[in-house]
Amino acid sequence: MADIRNDFVGIKSPNPFWLASAPPTDKAYNVERAFKAGWGGVVWKTLGEAGPPVVNVNGPRYGAIYGGDRRLIGLNNIELITDRDLQTNLREIKEVKAKWPDRAMIVSIMVPCEEQAWKSILPLVEETGADGIELNFGCPHGMSERGMGAAVGQVPEYIEMVTRWCKQTTRMPVIVKLTPNITDVRYPARAAKSGGADAVSLINTINSIVSVDLNDFAPEPTIDGKGSHGGFCGPAVKPIALHMVAEIARDPETAGLPISGIGGVTTWRDAAEFMSLGAGNVQVCTAAMTYGFKIIEEMTAGLSNWMDEQGHTTLDDVVGRATPNVTAWQYLNLNYVTKARIDQDKCISCGRCHIACEDTSHQAITNMVDGERRFEVIEEECVGCNLCVNVCPVEDCIDMVQLPAGATDERTKEKVSETYFNWTEHPNNPTAAKGTLEPAE
């Protein structure tokens, strides 16, 4: 069987699935239930400094986005960091780690952006026997208005500064949790590395308002007629998270920096995708809150079985395998040609492919053949966009067939020849480019 044991910056766990810093990791009771279910590790819900406790709202804390079958695809939460006493949290962390020495115990921390505040809390966390710390530079609501969380994570200089303070103070590995609420995630990742971070984790939640109560005209969740922006998470954010993980993994300035992937991980397949793009392990929250801790059984079994089928013996065989295949658009092969094909035996004649193509794309699918209702691809009009595949309700009814290079109409050939150009990265801004069109050879 495949070996799915995980070693992340020297922190060992029986599998690569950790619970992210969130309500499921707020107290010993929850964490012990998670470990009994089989989770490899946890990131304890974010601790703040000693003093007056954080006060959360005593009403709805979550808004939701549902799919058509009421499947939860996104949560928006307005809950703050732990509202439990610091000493209580520290005592429970120490007790749980002593009971479960083989599980990863990471402690998330967020205190004011002052050197002494960070240096005061680190020895307290270290004394618990925790395996590492995660600096919460990502929380976009509540705490950011107080100059913490995303307010720090959006300023690379602050990230580097605080990371350096922590590395100078503690023996524990330092993981920097990054915010997605930024234009280019590579800059904060580079800052974390410059500050000495052992790893980064991402993404934290995305700033959002998910819905409005049209009776009260207030954002949801609504507290006494008012609402606030919150942090969006769940399956809906996975594409954004995958992109940001890949950007850090393939950036020459952060190459080799370990990454803990977060954002919509719900199945073993999600985890494998994150790891293939460069994540060394994954963190999960919304899926556990939706389905309970027992989902770990399917995650570990599924990952192990897939690795066996593919001939992967350890996680190292998977991590980063897809990263080299992520490229800039201009390097895509414009001579690669595909056309849609409809399996008439599977087609249920719903017409969704036809109307999507007819109304919004290239008029490449007919709805009548020889006077009968029948959906077929008009090959000379098909540009291979695969919209029909995505809207078809029948799995594998429509697929994309690759044609030999150059097997395309003259109109497409002209477009290809006009599109080749040289691309030079702007020296002062890696997200901007300049180039001039040149004839294709």
Side-chain angles (χ1 to χ4, degrees):
M1 290 183 63
D3 183 357
I4 62 170
R5 289 177 296 178
N6 188 232
D7 185 335
F8 187 76
V9 296
I11 302 170
K12 293 180 171 58
S13 56
N15 61 63
F17 298 97
W18 294 358
L19 284 172
S21 169
T25 62
D26 192 32
K27 62 175 81 71
Y29 178 82
N30 301 74
V31 172
E32 290 214 62
R33 282 180 62 85
F35 285 164
K36 289 174 183 175
W39 289 86
V42 302
V43 182
W44 200 276
K45 185 169 181 178
T46 306
L47 308 184
E49 60 184 343
V54 169
V55 178
N56 271 294
V57 296
N58 290 308
R61 300 181 184 183
Y62 306 105
I65 296 290
Y66 298 101
D69 57 356
R70 200 171 162 77
R71 182 182 295 270
L72 187 70
I73 60 174
L75 275 182
N76 173 51
N77 94 87
I78 60 169
E79 184 168 302
L80 303 180
I81 65 175
T82 184
D83 52 13
R84 303 169 73 236
D85 176 71
L86 176 62
Q87 292 302 321
T88 300
N89 276 299
L90 293 170
R91 185 187 71 250
E92 291 186 1
I93 292 167
K94 185 173 184 177
E95 291 172 352
V96 174
K97 180 58 186 176
K99 289 182 183 178
W100 299 87
D102 67 323
R103 308 303 170 92
M105 175 65 76
I106 315 302
V107 178
S108 177
I109 306 173
M110 180 196 295
V111 295
C113 200
E114 301 165 0
E115 184 173 4
Q116 191 54 46
W118 288 95
K119 291 190 172 182
S120 294
I121 195 170
L122 289 171
L124 302 178
V125 175
E126 191 168 302
E127 197 276 331
T128 66
D131 299 300
I133 56 171
E134 184 177 78
L135 311 186
N136 186 346
F137 295 153
C139 188
H141 59 277
M143 307 308 293
S144 57
E145 290 89 332
R146 310 176 197 195
M148 294 181 276
V152 177
Q154 291 167 337
V155 184
E157 293 80 4
Y158 291 172
I159 293 174
E160 181 176 348
M161 177 179 67
V162 176
T163 303
R164 184 169 286 113
W165 290 342
C166 294
K167 284 299 295 179
Q168 291 171 350
T169 306
T170 182
R171 61 156 179 84
M172 297 179 290
V174 174
I175 304 169
V176 174
K177 191 172 189 179
L178 303 178
T179 177
N181 302 297
I182 194 164
T183 304
D184 190 335
V185 76
R186 293 176 296 178
Y187 291 108
R190 292 169 184 172
K193 185 175 181 180
S194 296
D198 296 282
V200 292
S201 59
L202 70 153
I203 59 174
N204 206 310
T205 54
I206 300 170
N207 218 347
S208 62
I209 293 176
V210 293
S211 58
V212 175
D213 185 321
L214 292 179
N215 292 317
D216 296 335
F217 289 99
E220 297 176 312
T222 304
I223 305 295
D224 193 24
K226 301 289 184 181
S228 178
H229 65 97
F232 191 54
C233 57
V237 311
K238 176 188 162 190
I240 299 167
L242 287 175
H243 162 69
M244 291 189 169
V245 165
E247 284 297 280
I248 294 172
R250 71 191 193 95
D251 179 12
E253 295 190 36
T254 52
L257 181 65
I259 301 169
S260 184
I262 313 170
V265 178
T266 306
T267 68
W268 69 264
R269 183 179 295 274
D270 297 328
E273 290 176 11
F274 269 92
M275 288 189 286
S276 74
L277 286 173
N281 68 7
V282 294
Q283 297 183 32
V284 180
C285 173
T286 306
M289 295 178 70
T290 305
Y291 304 109
F293 289 150
K294 287 288 187 179
I295 60 166
I296 189 60
E297 296 176 1
E298 182 179 338
M299 287 178 164
T300 53
L303 181 62
S304 180
N305 290 339
W306 170 75
M307 289 175 62
D308 284 340
E309 292 170 1
Q310 297 295 316
H312 303 309
T313 57
T314 70
L315 295 176
D316 289 339
D317 295 337
V318 177
V319 174
R321 287 287 292 273
T323 307
N325 293 326
V326 181
T327 188
W329 191 97
Q330 67 268 22
Y331 300 123
L332 298 178
N333 180 8
L334 298 185
N335 286 315
Y336 179 83
V337 179
T338 62
K339 302 286 184 180
R341 294 286 187 273
I342 300 173
D343 186 333
Q344 297 299 330
D345 292 332
K346 293 181 179 178
C347 180
I348 61 174
S349 298
C350 67
R352 289 178 63 179
C353 62
H354 164 72
I355 204 64
C357 190
E358 192 73 15
D359 284 355
T360 69
S361 293
H362 301 278
Q363 298 76 52
I365 298 179
T366 181
N367 64 342
M368 298 292 289
V369 177
D370 297 329
E372 296 183 359
R373 180 179 171 87
R374 181 181 173 91
F375 301 95
E376 289 188 356
V377 176
I378 306 170
E379 185 168 303
E380 58 269 24
E381 298 297 334
C382 178
V383 300
C385 73
N386 90 327
L387 175 63
C388 54
V389 176
N390 292 322
V391 301
C392 179
V394 180
E395 188 173 3
D396 297 328
C397 177
I398 308 177
D399 60 2
M400 304 304 296
V401 178
Q402 182 181 353
L403 273 61
T408 184
D409 57 88
E410 292 302 317
R411 182 182 58 182
T412 304
K413 287 181 180 178
E414 290 174 5
K415 289 181 180 178
V416 169
S417 66
E418 292 171 359
T419 306
Y420 282 119
F421 57 90
N422 290 334
W423 189 285
T424 304
E425 191 174 80
H426 192 287
N428 297 323
N429 183 0
T431 64
K434 58 183 180 181
T436 57
L437 288 173
E438 293 184 356
E441 293 182 357

